[in-house]
Amino acid sequence: MTFGPIDPVHVAAEDRYARIPYRRTGTSGLDLPAFSFGLWQKFGTDYPFATQREIVLHAFDLGISHFDNADRYGPPHRGAQQNFGAVLAKDLAPYRDELILSTKAGNPIGASPYLKGGSRKSLLTSLDHSLRDLGTDYVDIFYHHSPDLETPLEESVGALVSAVQQGKALYVGLSNYAPDRAHDAAELLRASGVPLLIDQARYSIFDRNPERNGLLDVARQDGFGTIVYSPLAQGLLTDKYLQDIPAGARALNSAFLSPEVIDDTYRERASALNKVAAARGQSLAQLALQWVLRRPEVTSALIGASSTEQLDHNLAALDFPDLTDEELASIDEHGVHGTGQRR
Ligand SMILES: NC(=O)c1ccc[n+]([C@@H]2O[C@H](COP(=O)([O-])OP(=O)(O)OC[C@H]3O[C@@H](n4cnc5c(N)ncnc54)[C@H](OP(=O)(O)O)[C@@H]3O)[C@@H](O)[C@H]2O)c1
């Protein structure tokens, strides 16, 4: 009997570090790739595992060494980490030292009071499950996923510090924290000897919060980096919804992007931005990614993709010249904060 070479173990591209610049994370010693890859959507049981594996391995070949996960990602919850763990075990284990793996805890994953929130119990239990799901002894970055105003900040921050002291995480991060709470947490963490590495916040041409509410200023002053999620506004800042909603698109498949937001106002603004991009010889997606990376406080743009072609296309954003003041003004005119968000 003979066996064909089905799914051979992946050998990473030798030129992977020639493709993408790395940027320093705040005042830490850690560099992150300008693009990081997140497994929030289409990395559970809702998408073929073979495609997920292909995307993850392609990302790594492109120099994207940072993969972002959370206990919540699936479906079901924890599913994305288990799928990533399968790729890690089969293909990426020899490269573990080259990977920056992050996970998050604190958003609800069940009815139990210990499966949500920022208590020490909830955060550290989740981390243990995540390590098991991922099949690794440590994550590189452990995040509190969202602020929990009913738990003392000292307790949530203390759990992050413990994760590092126990050798289960190398660095700690916060996500979705308001700037003043991020600042308070950064002070507590600094005093504990485990400085805040990074804050994860939503930022795009259609969501200006991090620059409007001062988060980017706080990051600069306190010396932590930022990694910005949904820089393509989940696909709204690409050309895919300009005419219609294509089959298979996130707007038809996700509770987090409603087709209702794809209305005339959205189309008018996105089409105008598409013209700004076209005048530069690039796509709207490439323009949107360059736009978030223009800020020095942004360490990395945290993108998703449902195909390797999207990844290739998006990384080509790095090949274009910087945005001019005139182009930035046009983007401000049409990139109205709140576009594409449910009111
Ligand atoms: N901390 C938090 O609370 C939080 C919240 C949300 C996300 N995140 C993190 O951020 C990561 C990225 O978020 P995101 O997926 O919303 O980012 P995004 O980059 O704004 O959106 C990615 C999606 O846009 C579509 N797309 C990408 N490139 C495209 C292209 N060139 N042409 C057409 N469509 C394209 C794809 O969706 P389809 O092809 O499926 O339509 C893709 O999955 C997540 O995986 C997660 O790690 C964190």
Side-chain angles (χ1 to χ4, degrees):
M1 190 189 298
T2 56
F3 294 94
I6 300 165
D7 258 8
V9 173
H10 185 72
V11 178
E14 279 189 15
D15 64 349
R16 58 191 177 280
Y17 294 110
R19 310 256 185 116
I20 186 168
Y22 273 60
R23 293 156 70 115
R24 188 51 60 105
T25 314
T27 53
S28 78
L30 186 73
D31 291 337
L32 289 179
F35 290 110
S36 300
F37 190 75
L39 287 87
W40 177 37
Q41 302 276 311
K42 293 189 175 165
F43 278 85
T45 51
D46 55 344
Y47 213 51
F49 175 74
T51 309
Q52 298 176 22
R53 173 175 175 258
E54 191 188 15
I55 293 170
V56 165
L57 297 178
H58 192 63
F60 188 62
D61 280 348
L62 293 172
I64 299 180
S65 55
H66 177 24
F67 293 92
D68 182 72
N69 239 307
D71 55 2
R72 240 178 100 80
Y73 297 171
H77 295 324
R78 297 175 44 195
Q81 300 206 129
Q82 289 163 358
N83 284 344
F84 185 88
V87 179
L88 179 62
K90 182 172 193 297
D91 300 286
L92 291 179
Y95 307 100
R96 175 64 186 94
D97 294 347
E98 296 181 44
L99 291 169
I100 298 293
L101 304 184
S102 62
T103 190
K104 315 184 203 77
N107 281 5
I109 57 166
S112 158
Y114 315 125
L115 292 175
K116 58 183 151 206
S119 72
R120 183 174 178 80
K121 167 82 172 168
S122 153
L123 295 180
L124 291 176
T125 304
S126 166
L127 177 58
D128 282 340
H129 284 298
S130 292
L131 293 177
R132 234 168 287 148
D133 291 341
L134 291 164
T136 185
D137 294 338
Y138 72 97
V139 288
D140 297 274
I141 309 172
F142 181 46
Y143 285 94
H144 186 200
H145 204 150
S146 296
D148 174 359
L149 303 184
E150 288 164 14
T151 297
L153 184 59
E154 289 77 2
E155 180 169 341
S156 303
V157 160
L160 299 180
V161 171
S162 293
V164 171
Q165 289 168 342
Q166 292 168 7
K168 294 174 182 172
L170 297 185
Y171 298 95
V172 300
L174 304 171
S175 179
N176 302 312
Y177 270 52
D180 53 348
R181 201 166 172 87
H183 168 75
D184 292 348
E187 298 235 297
L188 288 170
L189 285 163
R190 194 178 299 116
S192 308
V194 178
L196 176 60
L197 177 77
I198 199 159
D199 186 283
Q200 194 172 125
R202 193 169 73 180
Y203 184 45
S204 74
I205 289 174
F206 285 158
D207 184 345
R208 309 294 187 97
N209 270 334
E211 56 187 39
R212 286 159 62 111
N213 67 15
L215 180 72
L216 296 181
D217 298 328
V218 170
R220 190 175 55 252
Q221 284 151 20
D222 282 342
F224 56 85
T226 65
I227 179 165
V228 297
Y229 69 78
S230 301
L232 298 175
Q234 302 196 59
L236 294 178
L237 286 164
T238 72
D239 58 10
K240 77 189 309 168
Y241 298 116
L242 291 183
Q243 311 299 332
D244 223 328
I245 304 183
R250 186 182 295 187
L252 295 177
N253 293 301
S254 168
F256 296 93
L257 183 63
S258 162
E260 287 161 31
V261 304
I262 300 169
D263 57 12
D264 289 346
T265 305
Y266 158 73
R267 285 215 169 88
E268 196 184 301
R269 292 171 182 167
S271 300
L273 291 168
N274 195 41
K275 283 191 188 135
V276 178
R280 288 170 51 78
Q282 65 183 171
S283 72
L284 175 52
Q286 291 163 344
L287 178 88
L289 293 170
Q290 265 197 290
W291 185 86
V292 294
L293 287 172
R294 85 199 184 289
R295 289 288 302 230
E297 302 89 342
V298 172
T299 313
S300 186
L302 179 49
I303 56 174
S306 61
S307 68
T308 55
E309 290 76 20
Q310 288 181 355
L311 271 182
D312 286 330
H313 180 90
N314 296 346
L315 253 72
L318 297 166
D319 300 337
F320 291 89
D322 289 347
L323 296 159
T324 65
D325 289 345
E326 202 182 321
E327 287 162 347
L328 287 169
S330 300
I331 293 170
D332 283 346
E333 184 187 341
H334 305 294
V336 178
H337 174 77
T339 306
Q341 287 163 36
R342 269 194 264 199
R343 276 163 261 290

